[in-house]
Amino acid sequence: MTDLQISATGGTAGRFALSRTGLLFAALGAAGLALPLVQFKPNRIVLGDALWLPGALPFGWLAAALIACALFAALPQRLSHGLRLALAVAGLVITLASLGLAAKGLMPEGNRMARVAPAAGFWLLFLAFALMAADALARMRPGLKTRWAVLAGGILLVGLALGSGLLDQTSVMVEYAARADLFGRSLRQHLLLAFGSLGMALVVGLPLGILAFQVPALRRAVLSVLNLLQTIPSLALFGIMIPLFGWVAANIPGAAQLGVAGIGIFPALMALFFYSLLPVVSNTLVGLTSVAPEVRDAAFGLGMTRGQVLARVQLPLALPVVLAAVRIVLVQNIGLAVIAGLIGGGGFGTFVFQGLNQTAMDLILLGALPTIFLALIAGIALDLSVEALSRRGRSAP
Amino acid sequence: MIRIENLTRIYDRTPVVNDVSLTVGAGQIAALVGTSGSGKTTLLRMINRLVEPTSGRIWIGETDAATIAPHLLRRRIGYAIQGHGLFPHRTVGQNIATVPRLLGWSAPEIAARVEELLHLFQLDPAQFRDRMPHELSGGQQQRVGVARALAARPEVLLMDEPFGALDPVIRARAQGDLREIQRRLGTTLVIVTHDMEEAVTLGDRIAVMDKGRLLQYGPPAEILTRPATDFVQALIGTGERPFRLLSLTRVADIREDGTCDGPAVSPESSLRDALAACLWHGRDCLPVEGGGIVTLTALRARAEGARAEAMATAGEGAQSKAPQTGGAAQ
Ligand SMILES: Nc1ncnc2c1ncn2[C@@H]1O[C@H](COP(=O)(O)OP(=O)(O)OP(=O)(O)O)[C@@H](O)[C@H]1O
Ligand SMILES: [Mg+2]
């Protein structure tokens, strides 16, 4: 993350020094301007016509010029991080507004078949400014509270951008409008899949990890079984669940009444649960074993019982490591839950696989974008929690 | 009081502590010395049953240690381990409050006790109570570790090389403080140390261990003048012997009437310090604060008297050593 000093006239050119990351973002942005902003398609399956930013909307040249200015202004190394962040946010707003306005202007009145889809140019511009914002934020070294605020602010901004109606005519939002109900249901199912499997993994994995810690003879066996589970490719694991639970539902009395089934949300939940077990169990074990022996010794020496040592000393000290597992599992499961769509488990995977079947990119995006967004939020929120906890506890040796 | 009877601990068929018997009187300090691996820590940890004895008995006061649940026994015995072992996720105050909380003291009682101990160890409560262990210096951590061990007013305190990590200056002060606190509270103390100097300074009695056996157990003067075996002799260090002997006596004890020039020495300082001061300032005598003098002649007489005693015992041969060791070990 060091900045490169590019000096025009020997040693006295500090004012002309360019930021290395700034150059990268500018290059990305320039590529974005050079590529088409949107794709106009008479219907959702054909490829359609590419439109560049200057021609895609009424004041297109102005928008392109503003974007170029923002990229250029962020080049000097000595620019303050706050200003850089402001430029990045401005760039994001202009890029999004251009997309929305282009879609509004291009969509023929009353035509339900046509689509205005974001194209490579849009994605590159968006990426350039998003990276610039993240880079500037990271360099400001904000405290924990500020980072929570930034996360909340980011979520709020996305909400505003979608809620304002600005983007309503873009292809993904048109697909959304046609399926608002299904989207809501998929969101709930997706969250249920990710958080439900995590919850189950914690309920089973924490005690299992503690047990493996207390009974060293069990460790190897438990870990190798879980490792084996982890190596099964995800599609295969979901596939195995179908006949397995199908058989259970059919042959074990009462199982079907309890919701056990070969297809639907149950086998998907179980597959995700199996995937989550290893990180939870092994991190619990690692966290407990990494408690310094003299700390454990002192706890026993002062007269704590085994249970008290576990509850008051070992588990609290293992907590950051366990939370790291929660982070891994949650982010992993938010992503993997997409595959549930394949076996009728619901979630955003429903849109992704429908889209794949119909070769409708917009529909795939309708499933993929919110999945990425959820994973991002969960990852950041848990990183912040882990940091808060480790800061409170054992920062220095 | 601690009474240890024929205590043995065997690991892999090797006795690590071998048939050790000794008694530490109430309010006394016993210093356990010996080379690395001689079984000091194992012996100490058998007293609070962190290690279960293979055979033998331990009495804490009138209680047979084997008859109560280990965790209840340990709440009665303070334990300060090497490298302090503070809980890194708890504040200084919470660390000190550990045993009182286990014993179910009321919150105000605990708060008052924490305050009292922080004062005792010269840590300003307002400044230190809510700090985390990693925000303390090594010496402060060590003091908190000892304060935590003393929190529930245990009759018995076990310490395993508590001053190992400290620099010589702080270490000398910590030893002085410990001695004073121990006297004030009347705690019975067993302290493990590598350092003969520390054992001589602190111990009412010194127990010398080698390969799991207790070689000699007696007051410092006896260990210094009548070492039971060559090993004990080597441990003391022949060259250091006269100085160690002198360090056992205070200037006040050999003060004479008279006057002389030079910087005054404190009556509480040791003869060793007085000798050093005489040599350094090139004088045959020095004034003592509060009146009187200490002379080089008197210092030499002291050292010689001790030497004569040592030679006499050595001449008597082996027959005196056996009863002496056995007698001291009771
Ligand atoms: N749990 C154990 N299992 C096997 N051997 C042990 C165990 N604990 C201690 N020992 C052995 O017992 C011997 C005495 O160990 P101990 O820790 O009591 O020595 P020490 O006198 O305290 O040494 P140091 O001064 O280095 O701390 C050593 O040889 C050690 O290897
Ligand atoms: Mg030891």
Side-chain angles (χ1 to χ4, degrees):
Chain A
M1 284 290 218
T2 53
D3 289 315
L4 180 69
Q5 299 272 341
I6 299 175
S7 48
T9 55
T12 57
R15 289 196 306 177
F16 301 112
L18 299 184
S19 142
R20 185 188 280 180
T21 47
L23 278 173
L24 173 69
F25 304 144
L28 268 178
L33 285 175
L35 290 166
L37 178 77
V38 290
Q39 206 81 23
F40 177 78
K41 307 186 281 193
N43 66 60
R44 67 203 263 210
I45 296 162
V46 297
L47 209 52
D49 304 323
L51 287 156
W52 277 257
L53 175 53
L57 62 158
F59 290 98
W61 279 109
L62 183 61
L66 284 175
I67 286 176
C69 281
L71 291 168
F72 198 72
L75 276 179
Q77 189 187 55
R78 289 176 48 185
L79 195 68
S80 80
H81 301 315
L83 257 175
R84 205 185 296 272
L85 180 64
L87 284 174
V89 172
L92 277 175
V93 169
I94 297 174
T95 308
L96 278 173
S98 301
L99 174 69
L101 292 175
K104 270 210 171 81
L106 291 169
M107 279 292 273
E109 202 67 42
N111 182 341
R112 308 195 43 138
M113 301 303 288
R115 294 284 186 274
V116 179
F122 168 80
W123 293 119
L124 281 180
L125 284 173
F126 188 84
L127 184 69
F129 287 116
L131 285 178
M132 191 192 288
D135 181 53
L137 266 176
R139 279 160 196 259
M140 290 163 88
R141 299 189 183 286
L144 266 181
K145 281 210 183 92
T146 323
R147 275 145 77 192
W148 280 114
V150 168
L151 178 64
I155 296 173
L156 199 73
L157 273 180
V158 172
L160 272 177
L162 295 177
S164 66
L166 180 68
L167 298 171
D168 278 358
Q169 298 302 314
T170 55
S171 58
V172 179
M173 291 305 282
V174 170
E175 296 291 349
Y176 165 75
R179 307 175 168 71
D181 282 352
L182 183 59
F183 187 89
R185 198 159 0 115
S186 298
L187 172 65
R188 281 192 300 279
Q189 284 167 337
H190 207 94
L191 291 177
L192 176 69
L193 281 168
F195 282 91
S197 57
L198 170 68
M200 284 159 59
L202 286 178
V203 167
V204 176
L206 280 177
L208 203 58
I210 293 171
L211 188 74
F213 172 71
Q214 303 276 29
V215 191
L218 278 178
R219 266 177 224 182
R220 190 182 287 248
V222 169
L223 286 184
S224 43
V225 168
L226 294 180
N227 260 315
L228 194 75
L229 269 178
Q230 202 76 5
T231 57
I232 304 176
S234 45
L235 268 175
L237 187 64
F238 278 87
I240 295 168
M241 295 295 114
I242 299 176
L244 187 68
F245 287 108
W247 184 87
V248 170
N251 291 291
I252 295 185
Q257 281 73 23
L258 284 173
V260 177
I263 209 120
I265 200 161
F266 181 83
L269 207 53
M270 292 311 290
L272 291 175
F273 161 70
F274 287 134
Y275 267 127
S276 315
L277 266 182
L278 179 68
V280 172
V281 172
S282 68
N283 276 34
T284 306
L285 193 57
V286 167
L288 289 173
T289 4
S290 64
V291 174
E294 68 262 21
V295 170
R296 199 186 84 106
D297 232 40
F300 278 113
L302 291 171
M304 292 193 189
T305 60
R306 241 185 137 158
Q308 284 166 334
V309 174
L310 191 66
R312 298 187 188 185
V313 178
Q314 289 168 325
L315 279 177
L317 286 175
L319 197 58
V321 187
V322 176
L323 256 187
V326 170
R327 182 202 186 281
I328 296 170
V329 165
L330 195 56
V331 173
Q332 167 192 287
N333 285 8
I334 288 174
L336 277 178
V338 168
I339 299 179
L342 205 58
I343 57 173
F348 289 130
T350 318
F351 299 128
V352 173
F353 288 107
Q354 263 181 28
L356 283 173
N357 280 338
Q358 306 170 11
T359 57
M361 193 59 197
D362 306 324
L363 203 48
I364 298 178
L365 284 178
L366 184 62
L369 289 179
T371 307
I372 295 171
F373 184 63
L374 279 181
L376 214 58
I377 298 174
I380 295 174
L382 280 162
D383 276 344
L384 292 178
S385 316
V386 172
E387 202 176 315
L389 266 177
S390 357
R391 226 179 252 192
R392 209 192 57 192
R394 46 160 154 202
S395 347
Chain B
M1 189 199 66
I2 306 171
R3 201 161 82 238
I4 291 171
E5 295 173 352
N6 307 102
L7 205 59
T8 298
R9 170 71 212 200
I10 295 177
Y11 282 121
D12 309 323
R13 283 188 259 137
T14 320
V16 162
V17 169
N18 195 350
D19 195 26
V20 168
S21 301
L22 59 83
T23 301
V24 187
Q28 299 259 296
I29 300 182
L32 276 179
V33 294
T35 44
S36 187
S38 54
K40 308 179 293 292
T41 297
T42 311
L43 177 60
L44 192 77
R45 287 160 68 89
M46 280 195 281
I47 298 175
N48 66 3
R49 290 180 64 191
L50 280 174
V51 173
E52 287 294 343
T54 308
S55 66
R57 278 190 176 206
I58 297 155
W59 300 83
I60 307 291
E62 293 309 306
T63 327
D64 181 347
T67 58
I68 31 179
H71 65 276
L72 297 179
L73 174 76
R74 290 176 200 141
R75 290 174 195 177
R76 288 176 45 185
I77 301 180
Y79 180 52
I81 74 171
Q82 187 165 9
H84 69 77
L86 294 180
F87 302 134
H89 61 305
R90 297 249 182 271
T91 63
V92 166
Q94 290 167 334
N95 262 286
I96 295 178
T98 307
V99 185
R101 270 188 59 200
L102 288 172
L103 292 173
W105 292 17
S106 74
E109 262 181 309
I110 294 179
R113 181 65 177 155
V114 168
E115 187 107 346
E116 185 186 342
L117 280 163
L118 284 171
H119 277 303
L120 192 62
F121 284 87
Q122 286 152 16
L123 298 164
D124 175 22
Q127 199 186 341
F128 286 98
R129 192 195 301 108
D130 298 321
R131 286 221 197 152
M132 300 309 279
H134 72 261
E135 297 167 324
L136 304 179
S137 76
Q140 290 163 345
Q141 290 173 338
Q142 207 105 49
R143 275 182 276 165
V144 174
V146 179
R148 180 176 68 175
L150 286 170
R153 301 192 181 86
E155 347 152 29
V156 170
L157 177 60
L158 310 176
M159 301 178 95
D160 198 346
E161 303 196 27
F163 306 129
L166 304 189
D167 67 72
V169 177
I170 306 265
R171 178 196 285 234
R173 230 189 83 191
Q175 288 168 349
D177 291 349
L178 175 67
R179 177 99 215 179
E180 198 197 313
I181 289 166
Q182 181 268 344
R183 287 280 179 258
R184 203 177 328 160
L185 305 177
T187 316
T188 307
L189 171 60
V190 181
I191 180 168
V192 168
T193 172
H194 262 114
D195 179 5
M196 201 61 185
E197 189 86 40
E198 185 166 275
V200 171
T201 323
L202 282 179
D204 292 305
R205 288 183 160 224
I206 297 177
V208 183
M209 290 192 66
D210 183 37
K211 302 196 188 82
R213 288 194 166 275
L214 181 63
L215 296 183
Q216 191 171 7
Y217 181 51
E222 182 191 306
I223 304 275
L224 289 172
T225 54
R226 281 173 287 163
T229 68
D230 292 345
F231 177 82
V232 179
Q233 172 110 35
L235 204 65
I236 300 162
T238 348
E240 293 287 319
R241 218 160 25 157
F243 305 112
R244 296 224 157 105
L245 275 169
L246 286 176
S247 71
L248 287 174
T249 313
R250 294 174 313 142
V251 166
D253 297 335
I254 63 159
R255 171 158 46 185
E256 298 165 33
D257 290 333
T259 52
C260 62
D261 287 338
V265 295
S266 152
E268 292 305 314
S269 60
S270 72
L271 296 189
R272 180 183 185 152
D273 297 336
L275 175 65
C278 282
L279 294 176
W280 184 251
H281 297 290
R283 300 193 180 264
D284 290 332
C285 73
L286 285 176
V288 178
E289 286 166 11
I293 56 166
V294 55
T295 64
L296 205 50
T297 323
L299 289 169
R300 182 189 291 156
R302 264 289 162 152
E304 266 170 9
R307 190 180 69 97
E309 205 181 336
M311 297 313 279
T313 348
E316 278 169 38
Q319 73 266 43
S320 78
K321 288 177 189 167
Q324 171 197 323
T325 322
Q330 298 182 350

